[in-house]
Amino acid sequence: MIAPSTSSMETQAKLVVESPFSNLSSSIVSTLDNSLKQFSHRSSLRFQTLATRRRISLSAAATTPGPSPIQDEHRKPPDLQTLMRRFWKVAVPYWSSDDKVQARLQLAAVFALTLGTTGITVGFSFLGRDFYNALANKDQQQFTKQLLYYLAGFAGGIPFFVLRDYAREKLSLRWRSWMTSYYMDRYLKNKTFYKIQSQSTIDNPDQRIVDDLSSFTGTALSFSLTLFNAAIDLISFSNILYGIFPPLFVVLLAYSLGGTAISIFLGRGLVNLNFLQEKKEADFRYGLVRVRENAESIAFYGGEENEMQLLLTRFRSAFENLNQLLISSRNLEFFTNGYRYLIQILPAAVVAPMYFSGKVEFGVINQSVSAFNHILGDFSLIVYQFQAISAFSAVIDRLGEFDDVLDSSNGKGHRDSKEEIQLSFCLISCSNGLDSNGSMPLSKRVKLLHVEHLTVQTPSEATLIKDLSFEIFEKDHLLVTGPSGSGKTSLLRAVAGLWSFGNGAITVYVRAGGDLDIPHSADVVSHQVASINETVGNSTGRRNSEGVIFLPQKPYMVLGTLRQQLLYPIWTEDPDNLSDGAKQSDSLPFLTHARDARCVNEKPKKPTSDDLIQVLNDVSLGHLLSRFDGLDSTHEWSSVLSLGEQQRLAFGRLLLSKPTLALLDESTSALDEANEARLYQLIQAAGITYISIGHRRTLYKYHKKVLHVYTADRTTAQHNWSFKDVEEDPKYNFSWQ
């Protein structure tokens, strides 16, 4: 959310840091009362400065560029009903969660302190009346007495204001921590993060988790306290104002209703402009992070000029939107500033005739001004805080949209299950199906993969592979070949559970924990799952624990030590991998991720340091130990290691985790033939069955089956693939030459 103007931003920043008892000028009491009023609205005003600081700092990188600028320009702001629905949906879960007892107790304490500050403000209103009466009557003794009362009020009132803000900030932090854990769990569950990135469902999910959640929790609490304070103010000061001069109510009501209507009219476009500004600035940050992540490639290409143009285009889009936002804010400020300053003299002008006629004392004028300001401020929250409300509405809109996407991705039935690839995991059992003498027939082999009538499509429903059927048994290493774009990688994604577009069935037979010991029976106990979403959704580590690992062409390098690179993804998340400092600072229970007990129980035994060193030597990476000072050194591994070294490191992970089935997507493309041969020999010796995608003829040596995929022909219904033994392929003999 963008602050409307520099002047207003500075004013609001000043209000945030001021003491409620500062700026004593012409009269102690009048300024004190105004400062107390400012302090009561501090909660909502602080949102502007928080948003400003957040925009100035570079936050986490965006993960998807999001919709096109054309879509942005035609985006309609949400209506009030949608905003309220989204606010309720985002806000409610925490207050009914496992942390609800602590949350409700802290919220009650915050409201109690807020009630106390309101009582202090009312008390100062009466002190101000007596103080001014003593001053007008030139009663020095009474004046000194009232001044001492004020000093006592300072000492007793300041702790209430400070503790109220401290309690609110603590509750806001606790709420944000819970919501961060809650949203990250849903974001990573069921491969939702992958779907959002691959389908560009929404823009910048990272920004919504980091920035928008922080703004939402802090501002929701602040506005809640402001509304509560306004309600108490209204009740307290209405009595005072009505007792002074009832016609002031009529003036107050007409003034506040008219001001609210004009503010809504002048600021009606701010919600959408704030929403777009968040997105456009996140897109600009995303472009900068892309330059950092691909610095070497850009430097090799000499693409600095192109990147400069792309970045300036994104920044110009943010600049133009911000310019429109400033214009709208300027128009609103013209009115709100005049509205705010006019009320300083309006109540005094109405009550002055009564003072001149001797019907009221001078102190009553000050009290009427104070009461009028308080009540009008309560009636005029929309006028005073319209820019903050519009900015907060944009946050609600973004989080609500994100929440809807998470529900859709994690829910059932968002697509017809008949139109999805059905993925099932079956656990191989060694307790059933033995012959009468207790032995297994020699003719039986262990089936690992069964593909039935599989049709793979793109999200736009273009067919890649038609009606594919085959079976893979243990050690039937399969090579998948074909022209680029024919659907080879999409096939592996479907087997891995990342691709659901198409139809047909895939059954993966695995042993729990990736145990590769040959069982005495090839019978299986089926663990049938209705859809791919349910299959993958059980746990983020579910597929790994079931013994299927995917190696992409460019391996993923985690943020951590060399040890963690090798242990990923099976053991890296163990609590014993955290530093002592990290454990001690984790005081909230929901900030500790509880792993699926099934995954924990089925994980292989964690390798020792000697095991890790041996694997590094096996994959010809032993030199990394001396180059980077051992296993516990931390570097930006994707930058300091070549692609060939990263691919060998990925094979080291594979050897340590020992899966039942490995899916290799051109995983040796950056290696020479000698290293390629060594790695394939290592995983063969480890008893790992693998399916490889590749174009080199040398790969035929390390496989027993070959699947050729051809570019699909839309004019025919015939399948576009062939499956055979590798010895039957003409390229096999050629590969030995």
Side-chain angles (χ1 to χ4, degrees):
M1 279 53 66
I2 299 302
S5 66
T6 304
S7 60
S8 66
M9 182 177 69
E10 291 173 350
T11 302
Q12 291 164 1
K14 182 179 179 183
L15 290 177
V16 171
V17 299
E18 279 182 343
S19 164
F21 309 107
S22 61
N23 292 339
L24 298 178
S25 55
S26 58
S27 73
I28 297 175
V29 183
S30 178
T31 309
L32 171 65
D33 186 70
N34 289 336
S35 297
L36 287 171
K37 183 63 178 175
Q38 291 172 358
F39 205 96
S40 68
H41 288 296
R42 169 181 170 185
S43 300
S44 56
L45 290 173
R46 66 181 288 277
F47 175 73
Q48 295 286 348
T49 52
L50 283 176
T52 304
R53 290 198 298 269
R54 177 162 62 85
R55 287 191 302 276
I56 294 174
S57 63
L58 287 177
S59 64
T63 54
T64 54
S68 66
I70 296 178
Q71 291 174 319
D72 291 340
E73 299 303 325
H74 294 284
R75 183 185 181 277
K76 294 182 179 180
D79 55 55
L80 181 60
Q81 183 179 358
T82 301
L83 277 178
M84 292 303 296
R85 178 187 65 82
R86 287 181 167 176
F87 174 82
W88 186 259
K89 186 179 180 184
V90 172
V92 164
Y94 175 60
W95 306 100
S96 57
S97 68
D98 294 339
D99 198 47
K100 62 183 178 183
V101 175
Q102 282 293 327
R104 293 173 182 178
L105 287 175
Q106 290 189 25
L107 183 62
V110 171
F111 276 102
L113 288 168
T114 302
L115 188 61
T117 58
T118 303
I120 292 172
T121 306
V122 173
F124 272 108
S125 171
F126 286 97
L127 283 175
R129 180 196 62 186
D130 296 338
F131 183 89
Y132 268 100
N133 285 336
L135 188 63
N137 296 330
K138 299 180 181 181
D139 187 343
Q140 185 174 359
Q141 183 178 1
Q142 184 68 15
F143 176 83
T144 303
K145 182 180 179 181
Q146 293 301 319
L147 186 60
L148 291 175
Y149 286 159
Y150 268 119
L151 293 176
F154 292 161
I158 287 176
F160 280 87
F161 286 96
V162 173
L163 290 175
R164 180 198 65 179
D165 287 342
Y166 174 75
R168 185 193 65 230
E169 294 293 341
K170 286 285 290 183
L171 179 56
S172 174
L173 178 60
R174 191 180 187 98
W175 189 6
R176 179 195 174 187
S177 300
W178 184 89
M179 290 189 70
T180 299
S181 175
Y182 174 65
Y183 273 86
M184 285 197 303
D185 178 66
R186 297 166 67 202
Y187 180 56
L188 296 175
K189 185 180 180 181
N190 195 19
K191 303 298 181 290
T192 301
F193 65 96
Y194 173 77
K195 298 173 187 176
I196 290 175
Q197 190 276 337
S198 60
Q199 301 173 29
S200 295
T201 310
I202 57 170
D203 65 275
N204 309 301
D206 58 298
Q207 182 197 38
R208 301 178 193 235
I209 293 175
V210 176
D211 292 338
D212 291 339
L213 279 180
S214 176
S215 296
F216 178 84
T217 53
T219 312
L221 279 177
S222 297
F223 279 157
S224 298
L225 292 178
T226 300
L227 291 173
F228 176 73
N229 190 67
I232 302 300
D233 260 1
L234 197 59
I235 296 171
S236 303
F237 286 97
S238 291
N239 255 348
I240 297 173
L241 190 63
Y242 190 83
I244 295 172
F245 193 39
L248 267 179
F249 269 116
V250 179
V251 176
L252 184 149
L253 188 61
Y255 193 76
S256 60
L257 290 178
T260 300
I262 296 173
S263 294
I264 293 175
F265 174 77
L266 293 176
R268 61 190 182 279
L270 285 176
V271 175
N272 195 45
L273 288 171
N274 275 295
F275 182 98
L276 293 179
Q277 191 64 29
E278 287 292 325
K279 180 198 176 303
K280 290 175 184 295
E281 293 201 5
D283 287 346
F284 176 56
R285 290 196 299 269
Y286 173 74
L288 288 170
V289 174
R290 289 283 294 171
V291 171
R292 184 187 68 189
E293 291 179 343
N294 299 278
E296 185 178 57
S297 299
I298 294 171
F300 271 128
Y301 276 113
E304 295 85 355
E305 288 296 325
N306 299 71
E307 295 299 324
M308 185 68 178
Q309 291 299 324
L310 291 172
L311 290 172
L312 284 178
T313 298
R314 292 194 170 196
F315 181 77
R316 186 164 55 249
S317 178
F319 168 80
E320 291 170 353
N321 189 80
L322 178 56
N323 192 48
Q324 292 297 318
L325 183 57
L326 291 176
I327 292 172
S328 296
S329 299
R330 178 202 63 194
N331 296 337
L332 183 61
E333 281 292 300
F334 277 129
F335 171 73
T336 55
N337 280 329
Y339 182 90
R340 185 178 296 112
Y341 286 112
L342 184 58
I343 64 174
Q344 302 300 321
I345 61 172
L346 184 62
V350 174
V351 180
M354 297 177 64
Y355 172 72
F356 293 138
S357 64
K359 294 181 179 179
V360 296
E361 295 179 312
F362 180 73
V364 176
I365 295 180
N366 178 74
Q367 189 177 27
S368 68
V369 171
S370 172
F372 187 91
N373 286 342
H374 274 276
I375 298 174
L376 184 63
D378 301 332
F379 276 128
S380 305
L381 283 178
I382 294 179
V383 178
Y384 290 141
Q385 307 301 327
F386 192 87
Q387 296 171 49
I389 292 171
S390 65
F392 184 45
S393 298
V395 169
I396 296 172
D397 192 20
R398 290 174 59 79
L399 277 179
E401 184 182 47
F402 185 39
D403 198 274
D404 290 342
V405 169
L406 294 179
D407 281 349
S408 175
S409 297
N410 288 308
K412 305 176 183 179
H414 67 282
R415 278 189 66 186
D416 187 353
S417 61
K418 295 180 180 179
E419 297 177 357
E420 287 187 338
I421 297 173
Q422 306 299 303
L423 176 63
S424 305
F425 285 103
C426 295
L427 300 180
I428 299 173
S429 171
C430 54
S431 59
N432 299 317
L434 300 179
D435 287 349
S436 57
N437 59 2
S439 64
M440 181 186 72
L442 295 177
S443 59
K444 281 194 173 183
R445 293 189 298 160
V446 179
K447 185 191 299 183
L448 297 184
L449 179 66
H450 187 193
V451 176
E452 299 177 89
H453 304 293
L454 177 66
T455 296
V456 180
Q457 297 177 328
T458 65
S460 60
E461 299 186 356
T463 300
L464 298 173
I465 301 176
K466 300 178 181 179
D467 197 26
L468 174 63
S469 296
F470 66 88
E471 294 180 337
I472 292 295
F473 292 84
E474 193 159 32
K475 297 186 180 180
D476 274 353
H477 312 302
L478 173 65
L479 175 63
V480 183
T481 66
S484 178
S486 58
K488 304 184 299 297
T489 299
S490 297
L491 172 61
L492 287 199
R493 287 172 179 164
V495 175
L498 301 182
W499 197 269
S500 61
F501 303 103
N503 54 71
I506 299 174
T507 305
V508 181
Y509 301 89
V510 292
R511 299 184 183 87
D515 183 10
L516 291 177
D517 294 334
I518 301 294
H520 296 294
S521 171
D523 290 345
V524 295
V525 178
S526 179
H527 177 64
Q528 188 72 26
V529 183
S531 71
I532 185 172
N533 294 315
E534 292 183 10
T535 301
V536 184
N538 292 334
S539 167
T540 54
R542 175 74 179 273
R543 191 179 69 247
N544 294 326
S545 71
E546 289 172 338
V548 181
I549 286 186
F550 182 86
L551 265 63
Q553 184 176 13
K554 181 171 175 52
Y556 173 62
M557 297 287 106
V558 301
L559 300 175
T561 63
L562 183 59
R563 182 190 305 274
Q564 289 173 315
Q565 302 301 321
L566 289 166
L567 295 177
Y568 184 84
I570 305 298
W571 301 278
T572 312
E573 298 177 355
D574 281 354
D576 55 2
N577 284 327
L578 298 173
S579 65
D580 292 338
K583 293 178 183 178
Q584 293 171 2
S585 64
D586 186 12
S587 57
L588 297 177
F590 42 79
L591 292 184
T592 302
H593 178 55
R595 301 198 62 185
D596 192 325
R598 180 182 182 279
C599 296
V600 173
N601 294 333
E602 294 180 354
K603 281 194 307 182
K605 183 180 178 181
K606 184 178 179 180
T608 64
S609 295
D610 291 338
D611 295 331
L612 301 183
I613 293 172
Q614 181 60 50
V615 164
L616 284 175
N617 290 325
D618 289 342
V619 298
S620 304
L621 289 178
H623 62 279
L624 296 182
L625 295 171
S626 57
R627 178 178 165 190
F628 296 112
D629 299 324
L631 290 169
D632 296 315
S633 58
T634 301
H635 295 276
E636 186 66 39
W637 299 104
S638 59
S639 299
V640 300
L641 298 181
S642 68
L643 181 57
E645 288 174 323
Q646 293 177 43
Q647 288 186 343
R648 280 180 278 164
L649 190 62
F651 271 86
R653 294 172 179 170
L654 189 64
L655 292 169
L656 288 168
S657 58
K658 296 180 181 179
T660 307
L661 184 65
L663 309 175
L664 314 178
D665 185 6
E666 299 189 57
S667 302
T668 58
S669 60
L671 301 177
D672 57 88
E673 293 183 7
N675 270 306
E676 180 183 75
R678 178 176 178 80
L679 293 178
Y680 272 103
Q681 290 166 4
L682 285 171
I683 59 176
Q684 284 180 356
I688 300 172
T689 302
Y690 50 85
I691 300 175
S692 303
I693 291 177
H695 300 284
R696 294 178 180 174
R697 289 189 175 92
T698 53
L699 291 175
Y700 281 78
K701 306 175 188 178
Y702 319 115
H703 298 81
K704 294 184 178 180
K705 304 287 184 180
V706 60
L707 172 65
H708 289 295
V709 180
Y710 310 103
T711 303
D713 186 356
R714 298 182 180 180
T715 63
T716 178
Q718 295 182 349
H719 57 69
N720 60 324
W721 53 272
S722 65
F723 180 81
K724 62 183 72 174
D725 291 335
V726 72
E727 293 87 352
E728 299 175 5
D729 195 288
K731 295 182 181 180
Y732 172 72
N733 292 327
F734 182 79
S735 67
W736 289 87
Q737 298 177 5

